[in-house]
Each structure stands twice: as C-alpha cells, then as structure tokens.
Amino acid sequence: MKKIFKIMIFAMAANVAVVNAQQGARPQQSRPANTAAPAATEQKEDAPRTNQNVNSRTIVPESSVVTQHTVTIKGKSIPYKATAGTLPVWNEEGKPVAGLFYTYYERTDVQNKDSRPLIISFNGGPGSASVWMHIAYTGPVVLNIDDEGYPVQPYGYKDNPNSILDVADIVYIDPVNTGYSRTVSKDVPTSQFFGVRQDIKYLAEWINTFVTRVNRWASPKYLIGESYGTTRVSGLALELQSNHWMYLNGVILVSPTELGIERGVTTDAALRLPYFAATAWYHKALAADLQNKKLTDMLPEVEKFTIDELLPAIAKGGLLSAADKQKIAAKMARYSGLSEKVILQNNLDVSTNLFWKELLRDKGYTVGRLDSRYRGIDKSDGGERPDYNAELTSWLHSFTPAINMYLRNALNYKTDLKYNMFGPVYPWDNTGNRTGENLRAAMAQNPYLHLMVQSGYYDGACDYFNAKYNMWQMDLNGKLKDRMSWKGYESGHMMYLRKPDLAAANDHIREFIKDSLPAPNQSAKF
C-alpha cells in the first residue's frame, strides 16, 4: 500500500470550519461555462438550514442550501434539485464531533423514489475531496477543459450531457478535513477519523444518517469510489451490510488501489510491465510491429508474458541463469520502451519512478504518474525520478477555480472557509486493511451485490493490470465472476477527463446499474 499514500500531495493547512447555509435558495437553470448566476429568489424546502453570518468562525455541522436546475442528458431535459450542506458525525454520546460537507442531486420529475437508484460517491487520497468525480465525471456539470483534459481559460464549468443523473440520484461526500468538512473544534481527536478502519466506521454511520434523513432506505444503493476511495467503498460494502443492515446492489471501483491484497516484491515488480507497455505505446517508443497494433490488441501479448514468464523469472532471483536473465530483459525492453541495460542494472525490477524519468529522458521529458500521457520538464535530465507530477499540477490548474466558482455561484453555498482539494489527514493508520476481502465477503453474503472496475491504461499509480489482479485474488474459486466486470479506457487515473472516455465510462455505469437491478420480486438467493 506504500504507493497509495503517494498518490496525492497534501499542502493545504487545516482551518477552523465556517459553514454558512443561507435561508434564500436560488432556483436557476443550467448554463454554459462562466455565465453569471441568476438573481436569488426564496424557496421553501423541508431540508434544515441555518442563517449564519458568512464571516462566522464557528462550525455549523448541520446546514443546507437548496437550488433548482435543469440539464440536458442524452438529448432529454432533466430537472433536478441540488442540496449543498453539512450533516454531523456523531460520537458515542450522540453529540456532533464533525460536520461533513455533501452535495446531493435528485431528479425532480420522478414521483416514486423507492425504485430509483442512489449513488454514494467518494474520491480518495486519503485526504482528497470528492471534487474530481463530482465536477468532471458523473455529476450534472463538468469542467471547462479541452477534449483530452488539459486546462483552458477562462476557467469554469458547463452542462454535462453524459451525467448519470438521468438514471440515478447522486450524493458526493467530503470526508473530514477535505472540501468544507471539519471537526467541530480543534480538541476533537483526529485519530478517530484518519485510518482505514476508522474512516470506514464513521462514514458508514454518516451514510446511515443521510439515507434516513432523505428517506432512501427503499432505493437500490450503489457505492462508487476512485483511487483511495476504492479502498474506502470496498470496506464500506461490508461495514454497511454487517453493522447497519444496509445491503447494496453495486460497487464501482474507479482506478482501484491494491485493496489490502498482498503482492510481495516479486509480484509487485512483474505486474507493472503491462502499464509500462501501454505508456510506451502511447509515446511511440515501441518497435514498429507492436506500435502498428491497436493498444488493446498489443496488451494481451504483454500480459501473457508477464504471468507466464516474467513472474517466475523474477521469483527465481539468483537461480535464474545469466542467459535466461538476458532473454527476459530483452523481452522487457521490447515491451517497455526501456533499454536492456537499464533493466539489467535493476535486476528486472524497474520502479515506476525510474520508468517515469527514463522513458523520454533522451527527449528531455518525464511522463506523468497518474496519467502518463502528460509530459513534464525537470531541472535536470539526470536522476532517478521526476521532480513533480505533471498531471496533478495540470488538474489542480483547472479543478480548483471551477469548484470554488460552482459551489458559491451555482449552488449558493457561501463560506469563507477554504475548500480543501487535499486536506491534512496524517498520520494515517493503515493497519488492518483487508478491504478487498471485505468486498469479497459482502458479495458472497449478498446475491444482489455486483462489482464493476474501471481503469485507465495510462494510470501508473493504480495501474490497470493490478486492478485485474485484485479481481482474480478476490474470486479464487470463480463463483463471483458472473457479478464482476472490468472496463479499460485509453486515458489515465481520471479516465473521464478525456472526452470519448467521459461518454463511454458513464454509459458503462448506466449499463451496470441496469444489469444489477433485480427484476420485480426477484429473490436474493443463489
């Protein structure tokens, strides 16, 4: 799990929370990027709200602002209600110890919510807000970026014609110290939040409160998590089922982590190669016969070599003959775009850091970690690792202005609190991470529960072949495979930033929901 904690950079200081949920809500229509919000008009809603001065330095753990909108999805106008606010995290004495910020979208022309799916969405880090999938993937608005995901100016957002809001309601949740979520005071010990098991426990309690408040116990429920969020939702699937008696219909893992499934040095070293091959193919660093194939036609050859030859070779270590080692190195060089010399210098175990630095070293570039389509420029061409993550810098460039503009101007959520794209959550307790096994157990106990995994081929932090490996290890006897599926995309960690993948990935979620909903009166049994 070491590489998981390096996914995000945490540079923002913690602040005392200030949440202002104004009593007037703003009914408004969806609009193109950067256009001004209409004037506010008052609207009565049942949701609780407070009238706190915007400059208040006191946290309000429970508040809400409700606005009305429409968005065109798949050519059809969809009316919806957005609720932005906070709900408490309770301690054992029933007192609030934190307020979690959330954004909840409900389609308003649906009369019976009992059969309408509810999607509960998290991002990762740990320590990352749920901003990424919120305003770039499944939500009703998307970033103003180019077709490949690169920043453009002016900053902003626009309607998302691919949003899944046509088929499901969605709530995006920011864990403690991310987004606008904070503890009620500095005296609350953060150790109760910052750890694999702690995170799962308090978020399950919060989800129970939320589902009860919005009266969605009858609805089919789905969890979706990205990056460390996949660790989170895999654990939540069993926690909700075992301790809250809340049974899910589906879990969606976007760019999954290792889920606490042990690899070992040998397996970890071998499983990187298919990702190396995909990245080298993208940068046209492979031999002509491989380069001339489609990516998805080339990769099965690399995957077969990885399992059948590379894994056993690395496992042999010093027992591997010099001649056999040379043969393996030659094939690795053919598939990775690296030189045999570099591979042999590293005893067939090339780190991802070295790969990101080495692949385009002769051209003066590094490649991105979370999305290897991105190129960076280092101070020196020498060295063993890039100076910075080229893709993350690019993403923060476009996401940060957009989320601050959107929450304040479109959703009317006013606060002086800084929105933490990444918040301080360390030290993080990673002990007891068995979340892959937790998800397996939840699926074994719940015949309704389905799993879909989505991976970008150019993701070097949570690579696609390790995502496949997770599924193999979770289903050793093959009895769950009919309820498991995997989808790959020619982009990176946030595959939805590439316009064709935004459409395809959302369609895959639609199909997954449809396929995982049981027929009326269909019993949950094997």
Side-chain angles (χ1 to χ4, degrees), residues 31-179:
R31 55 196 176 276
N34 307 317
T35 58
T41 59
E42 187 168 343
Q43 175 182 320
K44 294 182 179 179
E45 293 289 344
D46 293 333
R49 55 169 73 84
T50 59
N51 192 11
Q52 189 85 1
N53 185 285
V54 72
N55 295 317
S56 170
R57 304 298 295 178
T58 304
I59 188 171
V60 180
E62 183 171 345
S63 61
S64 68
V65 176
V66 177
T67 51
Q68 301 288 338
H69 311 259
T70 61
V71 61
T72 300
I73 301 172
K74 302 292 184 182
K76 183 177 181 180
S77 180
I78 307 295
Y80 67 95
K81 176 173 71 173
T83 304
T86 54
L87 273 181
V89 176
W90 313 98
N91 65 13
E92 292 182 356
E93 288 74 42
K95 295 182 179 181
V97 292
L100 294 196
F101 182 73
Y102 69 95
T103 311
Y104 176 40
Y105 298 101
E106 302 171 84
R107 183 170 174 171
T108 53
D109 61 350
V110 175
Q111 299 302 317
N112 183 6
K113 292 293 182 74
D114 289 356
S115 59
R116 181 163 169 81
L118 173 66
I119 308 289
I120 301 166
S121 182
F122 292 98
N123 273 97
S128 170
S130 291
V131 54
W132 314 98
M133 291 196 292
H134 182 178
I135 63 169
Y137 188 9
T138 52
V141 302
V142 288
L143 291 173
N144 185 33
I145 51 180
D146 76 7
D147 288 353
E148 291 297 316
Y150 289 87
V152 296
Q153 290 183 334
Y155 301 117
Y157 49 88
K158 53 194 174 185
D159 285 353
N160 182 6
N162 299 292
S163 172
I164 59 171
L165 190 57
D166 58 334
V167 298
D169 294 337
I170 319 165
V171 58
Y172 300 90
I173 304 165
D174 292 336
V176 171
N177 271 7
T178 74

Side-chain angles (χ1 to χ4, degrees), residues 246-263:
M246 185 182 293
Y247 287 74
L248 304 172
N249 285 71
V251 172
I252 302 165
L253 305 182
V254 180
S255 305
T257 66
E258 295 170 349
L259 306 181
I261 298 171
E262 291 296 329
R263 262 74 170 165

Side-chain angles (χ1 to χ4, degrees), residues 110 129 156 240 359 391 401 460 462 518:
V110 175
L240 288 169
L359 182 67
E391 77 298 324
C462 301

Side-chain angles (χ1 to χ4, degrees), residues 31 33-34 131 134-136 141-145 152 154-158 180 395-411 419 421:
R31 55 196 176 276
N34 307 317
V131 54
H134 182 178
I135 63 169
V141 302
V142 288
L143 291 173
N144 185 33
I145 51 180
V152 296
Y155 301 117
Y157 49 88
K158 53 194 174 185
Y180 293 137
W395 296 341
L396 287 168
H397 192 164
S398 53
F399 274 90
T400 310
I403 190 63
N404 281 279
M405 295 160 62
Y406 176 64
L407 294 177
R408 176 172 287 269
N409 299 334
L411 300 191
Y419 187 89
M421 303 293 285

Side-chain angles (χ1 to χ4, degrees), residues 419-430:
Y419 187 89
N420 277 348
M421 303 293 285
F422 305 115
V425 298
Y426 284 95
W428 186 269
D429 180 6
N430 197 46

Side-chain angles (χ1 to χ4, degrees), residues 287-341:
D289 63 316
L290 295 175
Q291 201 67 58
N292 290 336
K293 293 182 179 180
K294 290 182 179 179
L295 176 66
T296 51
D297 292 337
M298 181 270 293
L299 285 175
E301 178 181 333
V302 185
E303 295 176 7
K304 187 177 189 310
F305 165 75
T306 298
I307 296 298
D308 293 348
E309 299 182 55
L310 181 57
L311 246 174
I314 296 177
K316 288 181 180 178
L319 286 177
L320 189 67
S321 70
D324 286 343
K325 190 173 185 178
Q326 186 70 49
K327 289 178 183 178
I328 293 293
K331 282 194 173 183
M332 287 184 69
R334 169 174 163 78
Y335 293 137
S336 68
L338 303 179
S339 69
E340 290 183 38
K341 180 180 179 181

